[in-house]
Amino acid sequence: MKFGVLSTPPSLRELRQFLGLQSVDLPLQRPYVWTTSVASVDGRTSTEEAEAEGGHAIATAGGKYNGLVDRKILEHGWKTADAILTTGEILRSEPTVTYRTAGARRKPLCIILTASGMIDLDHPVFHRNRTLTVTTKEGFRRLKDFRKSAGRDLIVSDSNESKVGLTWLLSYIRKEKNVLFLDVNAGGRTISDFLSQGLVDEMRITLVGTVRLEHSVDPNCITFLRIDLFTKERIRAS
């Protein structure tokens, strides 16, 4: 685990030193996966996460506090990932998000996970990003108006279950899309699914000086954790 206190806002040099991927060990059959979250000093990530399923109530707290440091860390992850995974729920709650940063040369693939198929095909993410929509057989029935193009693809989970198989998905994007680094930019339930299946290699958590993201203890007290989770069968990234 790496622990650091970053300046506000953090410099590019700080971010590169703290979040560098040069020496990480890549899984053999899937991408290297990280999640980015924000937590209050009492360990809560969101006041709305009490009912989250699973043992890991991890969620980004977009809009719940003025997190300039967290935003810089988030954007650095987008710049260094080969793909960003988001969900239909995120797109419904954030109708203008595009996962593009100013001045970024890299254009990572945007993977949209939607079991239900309930997404707005006119969302700006489809116009400003290369996208891969991933859904279930039931969700595919709701996406009858989806039109594939060079920058807009869709695949259907290989199982008959109500959720997309995450192991299958990660294997697919590694083999078919050459994704080596994946940034999971999702809510608590999705991150919990990744964690419970042992598919997360690194958790990036910003600790802010508040209690339950409501009562300020010290709003300038911002620290950052980078937690490595160990799995088997890896190769060293060059």
Side-chain angles (χ1 to χ4, degrees), residues 96-131:
T96 61
V97 67
T98 61
Y99 303 100
R100 296 287 295 274
T101 57
R105 296 181 179 179
R106 292 170 60 88
K107 296 181 179 179
L109 176 68
C110 187
I111 301 171
I112 302 159
L113 193 65
T114 171
S116 68
M118 296 174 62
I119 54 174
D120 178 6
L121 297 179
D122 289 324
H123 191 287
V125 75
F126 291 107
H127 302 291
R128 298 197 61 192
N129 302 74
R130 292 183 302 117
T131 61

Side-chain angles (χ1 to χ4, degrees), residues 61-214:
K64 297 186 183 301
Y65 81 107
N66 185 19
L68 181 57
V69 172
D70 187 62
R71 180 70 185 184
K72 288 291 186 180
I73 292 169
L74 191 66
E75 290 186 351
H76 186 78
W78 298 350
K79 291 178 180 179
T80 54
D82 295 311
I84 300 163
L85 184 141
T86 188
T87 65
E89 183 179 6
I90 295 291
L91 297 189
R92 288 191 294 273
S93 64
E94 300 186 34
T96 61
V97 67
T98 61
Y99 303 100
R100 296 287 295 274
T101 57
R105 296 181 179 179
R106 292 170 60 88
K107 296 181 179 179
L109 176 68
C110 187
I111 301 171
I112 302 159
L113 193 65
T114 171
S116 68
M118 296 174 62
I119 54 174
D120 178 6
L121 297 179
D122 289 324
H123 191 287
V125 75
F126 291 107
H127 302 291
R128 298 197 61 192
N129 302 74
R130 292 183 302 117
T131 61
L132 172 65
T133 301
V134 187
T135 189
T136 61
K137 293 178 180 179
E138 179 64 28
F140 182 64
R141 297 187 182 97
R142 294 191 177 97
L143 291 168
K144 59 183 179 180
D145 294 329
F146 189 97
R147 296 291 182 266
K148 291 186 179 183
S149 66
R152 183 167 164 166
D153 199 2
L154 180 145
I155 58 173
V156 180
S157 181
D158 63 346
S159 73
N160 293 317
E161 298 181 4
S162 60
K163 287 186 176 183
V164 172
L166 296 181
T167 300
W168 163 81
L169 171 59
L170 295 188
S171 176
Y172 176 87
I173 62 174
R174 175 69 182 263
K175 294 177 182 178
E176 302 298 329
K177 301 297 183 180
N178 195 32
V179 173
L180 298 182
F181 298 103
L182 176 66
D183 184 342
V184 175
N185 195 99
R189 289 178 178 82
T190 300
I191 293 179
S192 180
D193 287 342
F194 271 86
L195 285 167
S196 64
Q197 295 179 44
L199 299 175
V200 177
D201 301 290
E202 177 182 320
M203 296 175 65
R204 301 174 177 184
I205 303 176
T206 306
L207 301 177
V208 298
T210 60
V211 178
R212 297 190 179 185
L213 299 173
E214 295 174 340

